[in-house]
Amino acid sequence: MFSKLRSILFLIVLLVGGPAMLYAGFKEAKDSKALADHGVSVEATVTEVTWSTKRGRERNFRAQITFSTPDGKSVSDSVSLGNDQGKALRDQPDDKPAVLSVKYLPEDPHTVILADHKDESGLFYGIGAVMLLIGLGMLVYRLRS
C-alpha cells in the first residue's frame, strides 16, 4: 500500500512540477530578453548577505541590495549569488560597503539580476519537458494496467 501511495505522489509531483518548470523557463526567457534589450545597468550597494547550511556546506547565497533609479526612486531587492561570490561578499570587512553590478527593467525596477547573468531558460524548459513526459507516460501506463 505504501509503495502505491508513493507512486501516486511521485506521479502528481511530475504532472504538476513539469508545467511549473516550463512556466519558470518562460518567465526566465521573457525577463532575460527584456533585460538584454533595454535593461539599465547600475551599481547596487549590498546591505546583507544570507545563506543556508545543509550537511555542513554553505549554499543558496542571496544578497539584499539597494540602488537608485535615475528619477531618484530607491529600490531594495535581493539577487542570487554563486557560492564563491557569496562567500567573498560575506567575508568582506564591514567598513567598506560591498557593491554589485546589476541590471533592472525601467518599467519594473524589482525585476533585477546580476549584470553577468546568463539566460538559463533552456535548462528549465528541458527539465520541465522531461518531468511532464515521464509523468504522462506513467499516467498512461497506470491507466492501461
Side-chain angles (χ1 to χ4, degrees):
M1 168 146 166
F2 181 70
S3 75
K4 188 172 186 175
L5 180 64
R6 187 173 55 191
S7 171
I8 291 171
L9 287 175
F10 185 63
L11 178 63
I12 291 170
V13 167
L14 289 174
L15 292 175
V16 172
M21 291 297 283
L22 289 170
Y23 175 76
F26 171 76
K27 182 165 175 21
E28 170 79 11
K30 185 181 93 173
D31 289 347
S32 292
K33 184 177 179 184
L35 285 161
D37 181 42
H38 63 278
V40 178
S41 296
V42 294
E43 297 293 318
T45 305
V46 177
T47 57
E48 182 184 12
V49 178
T50 58
W51 65 93
S52 62
T53 304
K54 189 172 184 178
R55 292 186 218 133
R57 300 187 67 184
E58 297 168 334
R59 48 192 270 180
N60 299 329
F61 283 88
R62 294 197 63 78
Q64 293 290 349
I65 58 169
T66 58
F67 61 92
S68 295
T69 60
D71 59 359
K73 184 177 168 186
S74 180
V75 178
S76 294
D77 214 328
S78 67
V79 292
S80 294
L81 303 170
N83 285 345
D84 294 336
Q85 188 176 26
K87 288 177 184 177
L89 283 174
R90 177 196 61 195
D91 297 338
Q92 193 167 358
D94 289 336
D95 59 342
K96 181 183 171 207
V99 177
L100 287 174
S101 294
V102 297
K103 272 187 165 180
Y104 71 93
L105 289 176
E107 63 271 13
D108 182 16
H110 290 283
T111 301
V112 60
I113 59 169
L114 292 176
D116 61 351
H117 175 77
K118 305 285 186 273
D119 181 12
E120 297 178 351
S121 61
L123 176 67
F124 288 117
Y125 284 141
I127 292 172
V130 168
M131 287 175 69
L132 187 58
L133 289 173
I134 291 172
L136 289 173
M138 286 177 61
L139 181 64
V140 167
Y141 176 77
R142 289 186 64 81
L143 289 175
R144 288 192 175 222
S145 54

